[in-house]
């Protein structure tokens, strides 16, 4: 799944950027000008990350539900 994250605070934005070096499954594709992050997450981790985002007040939007459709 391709997910757009909307961190509200600078510290949260930095924490999310740092996650890429800690979790190989958290793959940042793009950082937006308006402080958004587009992240590729495997389906089996979506539920855990949704809980993490909620706990850290990070709003998110699913941009692409099944990224494999676009890989060919």
């Amino acid at each position: 799944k391709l997910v757009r994250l909307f961190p509200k605070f600078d510290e949260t934005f930095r924490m999310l950027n740092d996650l890429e070096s800690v979790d190989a499954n958290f793959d940042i594709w793009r950082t937006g000008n308006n402080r958004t992050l587009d992240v590729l997450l495997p389906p089996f981790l979506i539920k855990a990350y949704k809980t993490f985002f909620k706990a850290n007040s990070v709003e998110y939007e699913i941009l692409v539900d099944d990224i494999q459709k676009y890989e060919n």
Side-chain angles (χ1 to χ4, degrees), residues 4-17 30-38 58-59:
R4 178 159 292 156
L5 305 178
F6 303 93
K8 295 179 183 177
F9 307 105
D10 290 343
E11 141 185 338
T12 308
F13 185 81
R14 285 189 295 273
M15 175 192 61
L16 291 168
N17 271 296
R30 182 180 74 79
T31 303
N33 293 340
N34 57 352
R35 305 283 306 249
T36 61
L37 296 170
D38 291 353
V58 177
E59 293 181 23

Side-chain angles (χ1 to χ4, degrees), residues 25-57:
N25 291 303
F26 191 86
D27 185 13
I28 296 175
W29 275 24
R30 182 180 74 79
T31 303
N33 293 340
N34 57 352
R35 305 283 306 249
T36 61
L37 296 170
D38 291 353
V39 179
L40 183 65
L41 293 172
F44 69 92
L45 285 178
I46 284 293
K47 186 174 182 181
Y49 267 109
K50 282 182 177 180
T51 301
F52 174 80
F53 298 149
K54 184 175 181 179
N56 288 281
S57 301

